[in-house]
Amino acid sequence: MKRVLKLSLVLASTDRPVCGKTKILVMKWSVEAVHDQAMPAHRHVLRSCEGARTGTADGPPRQGRSVGSRLLIIGGALGVVLVAMMASCRAAELEPPAPAEDWSVHFQSTGVWQGYPGFHSPFQGPNSLPGGGEARETISGTAFLGRRLPWEGGELYFNPEFNQGFGLDRTLGVAGFPNGEAQKAGFNTPKPNVARLFLRQTFGLGGAKEMIEDGANQIARTVDVSRVTVTAGKFAATDIFDDNAYAHDPRTTFLNWSLWEAAAWDYPADQKGYTDGVAIELSQQDWALRGGWFLQPKIANERDLEPRFWRAFGAVAELETRHELRGEPGKLRFLVFANRAHMGNLEQAVALAAETGAAADIAAVRNYRWKAGFAVNLEQAVSDDLGVFSRLSWNDGRTEAWAFTDVDRSFSLGTSLKGTSWRRPNDTIGLAGVVNELSKVHRNFFAAGGTGILVGDGRLNYAPEGIIEAYYSYRVVEPVALSLDYQFIGNPAYDQDRGPVHVFAARLHVEF
């Protein structure tokens, strides 16, 4: 009978958190004497906790080392491994865990000072830009408060806001209005209001993860790339739809309405640009699909919303595709919309004016009607600093503009460049142009003396409205940016008998 030693190394899994992070494998080893004539010498058995793997090594006995010395070497090696693991765990325990962010708190304030000198104006109507020149200012301040809710994926956001000031001619006279911060209802003193109050619920669908950075109305978190997001409450339809990295925020990029938005999308909103509704988004790695249902104002360009969402509403759907062109990222969005509201028919208004000899009155022919249209939106990076964008939008042009502006067709093209090449990486220069047009019946309506949301000279010698905008944003210090802006407006309000207008602006923006 030979005396044989059996060495067992067990890798046991434990669910107990170690080092404050996750479970690990715990190594155990033991030695026992076995008296077995049948077992060949030098057979080592390695078992996992499942007993799934074994290995053998047979050969003649080696000379020169006692069994005790071999055990000492093996035990010492395993001891070094265990000591190293314990030291690693101890070091990890000294590192504070990353705190879970339950709140997101941000603030912005923007002031825009804008004016223009006198321009050619042989006549002037009820909604005309005054020909003698004018200067106005707008100021806004917004708090962006977000709170993670007790259940998985739930978030609540609240944006108290104040506004003060007026746009040029109290936000009248140009279809592509030159100040995106100008409210259709201005105030001489700061006017507080609730801009947004909404719930966001995210449902992860599994798979790869991505990090959402902390930002305005955005709590830092890790989410599934494949997910469904539901947003419900009071917010702006443009918070979800028709986004563009280079032209979507008049507080930081282009000021002109028809550059930061698809101008022919008569998106549902009150006078301040907000509404109540729900939006659902399915997001994947290379594409996203969105849909929304929003309340319309009771009367065109008014504050009160129609609560009967089945009778008056704005429905919108958007497909976003993500791609790369020569290694640079880009996005292409296809948007369709259908609005239903108590709108006036333009052709009927023109016919009534011909019968009565009075100016066309759209309010006299209002009834529940539809307006439909689409928008195509492209953003494309050319390099890390240079990007281009474009929008094409269209609506049927049979009914009055209800909530946004008097545009039936629009095409814009522009570029944005960061100042890295002149050692100002946080500065941005932008240049863009846009052409806005009206449908034929809409032209006839304004020619018959009709007025819309923003335009109406009392008569019309029609030509497309053309606008060029250029701005330079200078980062003074990290939270503060000062911009200088210039806009050339040809044929303001589609009237080639008036203009052109040269609009100059300075914008101060603070955000933290």
Side-chain angles (χ1 to χ4, degrees), residues 124-143:
Q124 193 167 302
N127 284 1
S128 295
L129 199 65
E134 189 179 71
R136 293 281 187 174
E137 77 287 334
T138 59
I139 302 173
S140 70
T142 314

Side-chain angles (χ1 to χ4, degrees), residues 183 235-238 267-275:
Q183 303 287 336
F235 55 101
T238 54
Y267 69 89
D270 61 15
Q271 283 183 325
K272 289 183 172 293
Y274 304 107
T275 184

Side-chain angles (χ1 to χ4, degrees), residues 53 75 88 90 116 408 419:
R53 297 184 62 189
S88 176
R90 182 62 178 169
Y116 64 91
D408 299 322

Side-chain angles (χ1 to χ4, degrees), residues 476-493:
V476 181
V477 292
E478 180 54 34
V480 181
L482 175 64
S483 301
L484 298 179
D485 184 277
Y486 166 73
Q487 296 178 54
F488 171 88
I489 303 174
N491 306 321

Side-chain angles (χ1 to χ4, degrees), residues 297-383:
K298 292 181 178 179
I299 303 173
N301 192 33
E302 290 294 334
R303 185 70 185 272
D304 292 338
L305 299 173
E306 171 57 73
R308 293 173 293 180
F309 61 88
W310 62 92
R311 190 170 187 183
F313 54 83
V316 57
E318 183 180 62
L319 173 64
E320 175 185 298
T321 62
R322 300 151 187 164
H323 62 270
E324 284 192 357
L325 182 62
R326 296 184 177 180
E328 298 294 340
K331 295 179 180 180
L332 185 61
R333 301 176 180 88
F334 303 91
L335 180 148
V336 294
F337 70 92
N339 296 340
R340 182 169 175 79
H342 196 249
M343 298 181 284
N345 179 278
L346 295 169
E347 189 172 1
Q348 291 179 5
V350 173
L352 182 61
E355 291 178 7
T356 61
D361 181 8
I362 197 68
V365 293
R366 282 176 175 159
N367 205 338
Y368 281 95
R369 310 180 195 277
W370 291 90
K371 172 180 282 189
F374 70 86
V376 181
N377 174 340
L378 170 69
E379 64 175 76
Q380 179 63 56
V382 179
S383 68

Side-chain angles (χ1 to χ4, degrees), residues 101-104 145-150 154-158 199-200 219:
E101 294 194 27
D102 293 328
W103 288 90
S104 176
L145 309 177
R147 168 67 181 174
R148 192 186 308 278
L149 296 176
E155 299 163 2
L156 180 65
Y157 293 93
F158 173 51
L199 172 71
R200 178 183 294 145
I219 298 175

Side-chain angles (χ1 to χ4, degrees), residues 156-206:
L156 180 65
Y157 293 93
F158 173 51
N159 294 173
E161 186 173 73
F162 79 84
N163 305 99
Q164 179 181 352
F166 299 87
L168 298 173
D169 194 30
R170 295 180 176 261
T171 318
L172 294 172
V174 185
F177 197 75
N179 183 1
E181 274 283 271
Q183 303 287 336
K184 295 172 185 174
F187 306 96
N188 288 312
T189 58
K191 177 73 172 180
N193 67 92
V194 176
R196 298 175 182 87
L197 178 60
F198 65 90
L199 172 71
R200 178 183 294 145
Q201 179 66 49
T202 302
F203 302 95
L205 302 179

